[in-house]
Amino acid sequence: MKRMIAYCGLDCETCDAYLATIHDDQALREKTAKLWAELNHAPILPEHINCEGCRVDGVKTVYCENLCGIRQCALKKGVTTCGTCLNMETCQTVGEIISNRPDALKNLRG
């Protein structure tokens, strides 16, 4: 499995926060902050858009670091990803991601 597959199966290498961070792209940070603020009805600023990936050491967005229930659960259980969790098939939390992004399930099974 690729290192940049998040616990939920999303590919961090396609995430705008990750791309803005590794390319130090301020315009992408600003665009992403605006979009995420609108989608989440939350005050998200460009300086919040810094992430080096869900499963690797380094900086993460506030959401990914502290608020993502999937990441917190995986860390608590000590699983590599939800794909190695015995409860994945019945888990409602990761199920929401999988139902919206079928590629995430493919990554978890990959």
Side-chain angles (χ1 to χ4, degrees):
M1 174 174 293
K2 286 176 30 178
R3 260 183 71 205
M4 297 311 295
I5 298 300
Y7 291 106
C8 64
L10 295 177
D11 187 346
C12 293
E13 290 178 329
T14 65
C15 175
D16 286 340
Y18 174 79
L19 294 169
T21 302
I22 64 164
H23 296 296
D24 195 19
D25 185 336
Q26 188 61 24
L28 183 55
R29 275 190 189 94
E30 292 171 8
K31 176 184 167 191
T32 303
K34 182 179 182 200
L35 175 63
W36 289 6
E38 290 170 3
L39 290 173
N40 294 291
H41 307 289
I44 300 173
L45 304 173
E47 54 266 27
H48 299 147
I49 307 299
N50 289 292
C51 191
E52 294 176 0
C54 178
R55 296 189 306 128
V56 299
D57 291 335
V59 67
K60 293 170 188 19
T61 66
V62 172
Y63 178 82
C64 293
E65 180 72 37
N66 301 307
L67 302 174
C68 177
I70 293 171
R71 183 173 184 275
Q72 297 305 315
C73 179
L75 290 170
K76 182 178 164 186
K77 289 183 176 182
V79 296
T80 305
T81 68
C82 293
T84 61
C85 178
L86 298 176
N87 301 319
M88 183 185 82
E89 299 297 327
T90 59
C91 178
Q92 292 179 351
T93 306
V94 78
E96 290 179 30
I97 298 289
I98 292 169
S99 68
N100 290 316
R101 296 283 301 272
D103 57 312
L105 180 60
K106 181 180 173 188
N107 289 336
L108 290 172
R109 290 187 173 155

